[in-house]
Amino acid sequence: MQEIQTSKNRYAEVPKHADYTIDQQWETYSAEEHDRWDRLMARQKAILPGRACDEYIKAVDTLELSEGGIPDFEKLSAKLKKLTGWEVVAVADLVPGEYFFEHLANRRFPAGAFIRPESEMDYLEEPDIFHDVFGHVPLLSDPRFADFMQAYGAQGVEARRRGALPNLGKYYWFTAEFGLINTPEGRRIYGAGILSSMGETQFALENPSPNHLKFDIRRVMRQDYFIDDYQPTYFVINDFDELLDFAHKDFGPIYDDVAGKPFYDIGEVLDTDHVYQRGTLDYFKRKGKL
Ligand SMILES: [Fe+2]
């Protein structure tokens, strides 16, 4: 009997194309892997209403992410292409920066094709297909978010030239990965890192530990973070249009302001911050992390 491959090693022998992509080989996913996707998605969909932003909730339905089993990138890309011109391409692991930017700038979203093992249903450090496709892909069908992600990719080139890539990385972290947005109905989630995590979906909005600070680009670009735990600080935008600055503004002066400057401590709140929620940080103090 063939051994069932349950993690990223399923692509160990699959050759990488020059742009770092691989063939998803959708037909090779096992019934267990499809079932794991279904369970991850069902439990996440159950807690997202009232927590995820409306654009995201709507997008999951529009794209029919829920038709059952792990999505086939070819079919998903066909739907996405009609809506905003984006497509989803498979990768085996993290894509080096220059390739990542290049893909985004050309409306290709590189998505990890392996699914997390059963032992890591709640937490994993490397982006798998559930994080990338359930978390990131839906909002690519929203015209404004679609433009933002492309503009972000295009910014990579200029940020590198100015020595500001670490700062641009922080920006991505606190928007596309861990962003919150104020809406008339209350604060909501749009960041993929939260939307694909059952624990953090509840933690980010309902736990008194994290700070909720008003989004400010220079501030965000200098904020350090944990990669192995929930976030002590979330930045909150008021409208997706704020993200579109990337498409319309010259960021040169901003990179000059932030590049090479020290990062703010994790969890730090500055006198100049506009604070929506001052976090107790208790969750992190209990764990001895802060
Ligand atoms: Fe991500």
Side-chain angles (χ1 to χ4, degrees):
M1 207 171 114
Q2 210 185 0
E3 192 194 344
I4 295 166
Q5 295 181 311
T6 53
S7 69
K8 60 179 294 189
N9 70 4
R10 72 187 332 281
Y11 291 109
E13 305 296 323
V14 176
K16 282 179 183 154
H17 304 302
D19 63 357
Y20 246 80
T21 60
I22 55 168
D23 294 325
Q24 185 190 12
Q25 301 185 335
W26 184 82
E27 58 292 338
T28 65
Y29 290 114
S30 66
E32 285 85 352
E33 288 177 313
H34 284 298
D35 178 64
R36 196 172 310 138
W37 167 280
D38 287 342
R39 282 180 287 124
L40 281 165
M41 182 149 156
R43 69 176 201 177
Q44 203 57 14
K45 274 192 90 172
I47 63 166
L48 287 181
R51 293 188 175 102
C53 65
D54 285 349
E55 289 88 344
Y56 175 86
I57 302 260
K58 204 181 104 199
V60 171
D61 289 336
T62 306
L63 283 174
E64 292 171 334
L65 273 178
S66 61
E67 66 189 24
I70 292 175
D72 179 338
F73 288 179
E74 220 170 288
K75 289 185 190 161
L76 187 57
S77 293
K79 291 185 225 169
L80 204 49
K81 247 190 155 152
K82 268 191 226 152
L83 293 165
T84 55
W86 274 82
E87 57 188 310
V88 182
V89 293
V91 292
D93 40 35
L94 283 174
V95 179
E98 64 265 41
Y99 293 92
F100 184 65
F101 291 128
E102 178 73 18
H103 281 303
L104 295 188
N106 289 284
R107 295 202 175 223
R108 291 188 300 266
F109 188 78
F114 73 98
I115 188 159
R116 64 192 66 186
E118 203 69 45
S119 57
E120 292 177 62
M121 288 288 270
D122 294 308
Y123 173 75
L124 85 169
E125 265 179 54
E126 264 192 285
D128 73 334
I129 192 167
F130 187 72
H131 167 81
D132 277 335
V133 174
F134 187 81
H136 284 284
V137 169
L139 278 177
L140 293 174
S141 70
D142 178 277
R144 283 184 298 171
F145 205 82
D147 287 353
F148 155 62
M149 289 290 277
Q150 177 184 14
Y152 175 83
Q155 282 285 345
V157 180
E158 179 63 7
R160 169 173 289 124
R161 203 175 67 76
R162 301 210 181 222
L165 272 187
N167 305 96
L168 193 66
K170 307 287 188 226
Y171 180 98
Y172 189 81
W173 187 266
F174 288 110
T175 56
E177 295 292 358
F178 292 96
L180 299 181
I181 181 167
N182 282 330
T183 77
E185 292 78 39
R187 198 153 299 142
R188 297 287 186 266
I189 304 161
Y190 72 90
I194 313 176
L195 293 169
S196 58
S197 158
M198 190 169 76
E200 193 151 4
T201 292
Q202 296 163 90
F203 175 85
L205 293 179
E206 284 135 60
N207 195 296
S209 285
N211 300 308
H212 290 184
L213 307 179
K214 187 177 184 337
F215 180 84
D216 173 272
I217 192 155
R218 286 176 172 79
R219 168 77 175 85
V220 165
M221 283 190 169
R222 290 181 57 194
Q223 182 57 57
D224 207 358
Y225 52 76
F226 291 134
I227 59 160
D228 61 350
D229 210 327
Y230 299 152
Q231 297 304 306
T233 295
Y234 299 97
F235 289 94
V236 188
I237 59 171
N238 287 308
D239 198 288
F240 279 144
D241 283 343
E242 282 183 60
L243 302 178
L244 278 173
D245 271 358
F246 257 126
H248 307 303
K249 243 190 205 168
D250 172 15
F251 272 54
I254 294 176
Y255 297 144
D256 288 343
D257 281 354
V258 299
K261 296 243 176 83
F263 290 109
Y264 301 118
D265 288 341
I266 296 175
E268 186 175 357
V269 176
L270 310 179
D271 291 342
T272 46
D273 283 330
H274 181 120
V275 181
Y276 294 124
Q277 168 174 301
R278 177 93 192 201
T280 62
L281 302 178
D282 283 350
Y283 167 88
F284 304 96
K285 287 177 191 163
R286 273 199 302 274
K287 292 174 96 178
K289 297 192 84 158
L290 287 177

